[in-house]
Amino acid sequence: MRRPGGWWRTKSTPEKVETYTRWSFHCFGVIEVFALGVSAYGRTGAGLATVLCLLVVAHAAVCMLVSSRALDWTRGRRPQPVRLMWTLVVVSAVVSTTAVVIAERGPAGEVETAAGSVYGGVLCFAAGVITLGVSGRRRMVAVVGGFAVGAGLLTFPLEMPVLASVVLAGLVMVTGGFLAITSIFSLWLLNAVYALDDAKETRARLAVAEERLRFGRDLHDVMGRNLAVIALKSELAVQLSRRGRPEAVEQMIEVQRIAQESQREVRDVVRGYREAALEVELAGARGVLTAAGITAQVTGETAGLPAEVQSALGWVVREATTNVLRHGDAKKVAVTVRMSGGRVVLTVENDGVAETTGDGPSAETAGTAHTGGSGGSGLAGLRERLSAVDGTLEAGPAGRGVFRLTAAVPLPDATAGAALEVAS
């Protein structure tokens, strides 16, 4: 069972910003209800106040619906809500006209103030909301200007002075324009956050692609050189064989040896054992994480470790780094190498795992998901590689939103003694 607020922690940063933006637009409707509808009870009788409040509530509900659909349209999830926007225009006109009738035919006094607030307020909120569903500055200005002109024209039945009508239209223009600018800026900020997130994912994919290219170059260096030698010696063996020279057999034996050596080197490259220096992998991890916008902190001493230990731990660093980029939403990664009890312990921590409890994912399941599955490149594959040097691997949540992967490899007696002397 998720903890309270767990749904929020599982969201990515753009999703959180979108949720905040969506509810901010809904808050406009709540503000409209309290500022225009509820406040009417203190200005006029209960009957007329209830009518005005119900009108405002209906108008606010349509505004909320239009803002939600317009936000989905902006993100490309729905078609443009043209009908809903026209519905909001009609509802705004009906509510404004009703407010004018109440102000004209209702009892004199404060009812005119209450009805006048509803009249101008609904037009301002409608102008701000409808701009969410249009594109282009001219159209947005036209929407706000249209509501301002409409507000001025609807005052003629009240026999208001021309100057008062112009002032009211100006207020609708200014207030509606402010709400429109606020809404447009909120959408711009949301789109900017999504664009930045897409750029981060692109950088991560490029970092992974660069790592694959490095692996490809490594494989090419092995096979290109050896295949060139095999081709040359095979051609020489053919020429010697045609001449009946016994040296052809020696050349083919050499070809066989090189082929077997190539097979072993390719196997080492694929398994990640070929000259996988831990120091190089740590430097590479820091580089690709930084390029992906993730804060990387690497601490510890790697000098003097046996080649097989460095190779095994180097693969852990490489695999953990790749999967941090491909999975989760980490902002910080800490890699630590330390000596403890005749062992070298490598710890990789990141803050990109959602916290779950109860019947949520277990540590093993979370670790497998975070490290690329249970196949050759997941926890099982890493354990196989570490088992070759009697190493162990532990993975799982380590606190609030933190995932920790710990690899421990025992050191030979001589190396362990030297490391302890250096540590002392």
Side-chain angles (χ1 to χ4, degrees):
M1 183 177 181
R2 295 186 181 273
R3 292 183 181 180
W7 65 276
W8 177 260
R9 287 193 295 271
T10 58
K11 290 179 176 290
S12 64
T13 299
E15 290 174 342
K16 290 178 181 178
V17 176
E18 180 178 349
T19 302
Y20 169 79
T21 304
R22 189 180 299 274
W23 282 101
S24 296
F25 292 149
H26 292 337
C27 285
F28 284 171
V30 175
I31 293 173
E32 179 183 0
V33 170
F34 279 93
L36 304 179
V38 177
S39 63
Y41 283 96
R43 299 178 180 179
T44 184
L48 289 176
T50 301
V51 173
L52 291 174
C53 187
L54 290 176
L55 289 173
V56 171
V57 169
H59 185 268
V62 178
C63 286
M64 290 181 181
L65 182 59
V66 171
S67 63
S68 180
R69 295 295 176 85
L71 182 59
D72 290 337
W73 168 68
T74 303
R75 295 304 310 150
R77 302 181 189 131
R78 291 177 180 269
Q80 187 178 16
V82 178
R83 292 184 179 180
L84 272 177
M85 290 191 294
W86 280 110
T87 300
L88 178 57
V89 172
V90 172
V91 172
S92 300
V94 171
V95 173
S96 299
T97 303
T98 305
V100 169
V101 172
I102 292 176
E104 185 179 16
R105 299 185 179 182
E110 295 184 351
V111 65
E112 294 181 358
T113 303
S117 298
V118 172
Y119 167 74
V122 296
L123 294 178
C124 293
F125 279 101
V129 170
I130 289 182
T131 53
L132 294 172
V134 298
S135 59
R137 296 179 181 178
R138 294 183 178 180
R139 294 182 180 179
M140 295 175 183
V141 172
V143 168
V144 177
F147 274 93
V149 172
L153 294 177
L154 286 175
T155 59
F156 284 102
L158 296 178
E159 297 181 355
M160 292 179 60
V162 176
L163 181 60
S165 299
V166 173
V167 171
L168 181 59
L171 289 175
V172 173
M173 172 73 77
V174 173
T175 307
F178 174 77
L179 293 175
I181 292 174
T182 302
S183 302
I184 294 169
F185 178 77
S186 298
L187 287 181
W188 175 84
L189 181 61
L190 176 62
N191 291 330
V193 171
Y194 268 105
L196 289 174
D197 187 68
D198 291 339
K200 178 183 175 181
E201 291 183 0
T202 300
R203 288 198 304 269
R205 287 194 296 268
L206 289 175
V208 174
E210 184 176 353
E211 176 65 15
R212 290 175 177 172
L213 288 175
R214 187 189 68 82
F215 175 81
R217 289 193 300 268
D218 199 7
L219 187 62
H220 177 269
D221 292 341
V222 173
M223 294 302 297
R225 181 186 67 250
N226 292 349
L227 287 176
V229 176
I230 289 175
L232 182 60
K233 287 189 172 293
S234 298
E235 183 179 357
L236 178 58
V238 170
Q239 296 297 331
L240 292 174
S241 178
R242 287 177 177 175
R243 297 174 185 176
R245 301 286 295 275
E247 292 87 346
V249 177
E250 296 179 0
Q251 294 297 327
M252 291 307 300
I253 293 175
E254 184 65 14
V255 168
Q256 183 182 18
R257 185 192 66 79
I258 296 174
Q260 292 173 347
E261 181 69 15
S262 299
Q263 185 180 19
R264 185 189 64 79
E265 289 185 352
V266 169
R267 188 182 300 113
D268 289 343
V269 170
V270 174
R271 291 179 179 177
Y273 286 127
R274 181 178 179 268
E275 297 180 1
L278 181 56
E279 185 69 24
V280 175
E281 295 299 333
L282 290 175
R286 185 189 292 110
V288 296
L289 290 173
T290 302
I294 302 174
T295 302
Q297 181 180 1
V298 180
T299 58
E301 182 62 36
T302 61
L305 294 177
E308 63 273 10
V309 174
Q310 291 207 34
S311 181
L313 294 181
W315 179 260
V316 174
V317 172
R318 183 187 305 176
E319 191 68 24
T321 302
T322 301
N323 287 285
V324 165
L325 295 171
R326 295 176 60 189
H327 307 284
D329 188 23
K331 302 296 184 299
K332 181 179 180 181
V333 176
V335 183
T336 305
V337 181
R338 60 185 174 87
M339 306 296 178
S340 176
R343 301 184 306 166
V344 55
V345 181
L346 170 70
T347 304
V348 183
E349 288 186 357
N350 72 84
D351 59 356
V353 177
E355 183 181 4
T356 54
T357 57
D359 56 354
S362 63
E364 183 74 13
T365 305
T368 302
H370 199 66
T371 54
S374 59
S377 60
L379 291 180
L382 292 179
R383 287 195 174 100
E384 287 180 7
R385 291 173 170 86
L386 289 172
S387 64
V389 290
D390 298 327
T392 59
L393 181 71
E394 295 179 0
R400 188 173 183 179
V402 177
F403 185 85
R404 178 184 298 162
L405 186 146
T406 303
V409 179
L411 293 171
D413 295 339
T415 307
L420 290 176
E421 289 180 3
V422 172
S424 62

